[in-house]
Amino acid sequence: MENLIPFPEQLGMVLRARRRHLNLTQKTAGKRVGLLPKTISALEHAPERRSVDTLFKYLSALDLELIIRPKESETPVPAETEW
């Protein structure tokens, strides 16, 4: 399962969907990595307000990993920059 996540709101939706897919409550997901249920709730509703460290803990609880790659461009990039 791969998800393109261009906005923080979509990250929260993906995290919540994955937790539910694993049949975990916010409490049980948090216990896996030492996060409180209120922190899980905050990650699912406003992930942009949480720390990167907290996000990585939650990704671990959900058996997910973060992959960063360049965007695929629909328009070719010129070989030489024109000024």
Side-chain angles (χ1 to χ4, degrees), residues 23-72:
N23 294 315
L24 298 172
T25 63
Q26 290 179 345
K27 185 176 181 178
T28 57
K31 279 187 176 185
R32 288 181 165 196
V33 290
L35 297 174
L36 296 172
K38 68 179 184 177
T39 304
I40 301 298
S41 178
L43 277 164
E44 292 179 355
H45 291 95
E48 69 277 8
R49 295 183 181 188
R50 302 293 107 201
S51 71
V52 173
D53 181 57
T54 302
L55 173 61
F56 273 90
K57 285 180 183 179
Y58 193 35
L59 291 173
S60 176
L62 300 177
D63 297 320
L64 295 173
E65 63 185 353
L66 178 67
I67 297 173
I68 297 176
R69 65 173 185 228
K71 287 183 178 182
E72 293 181 14

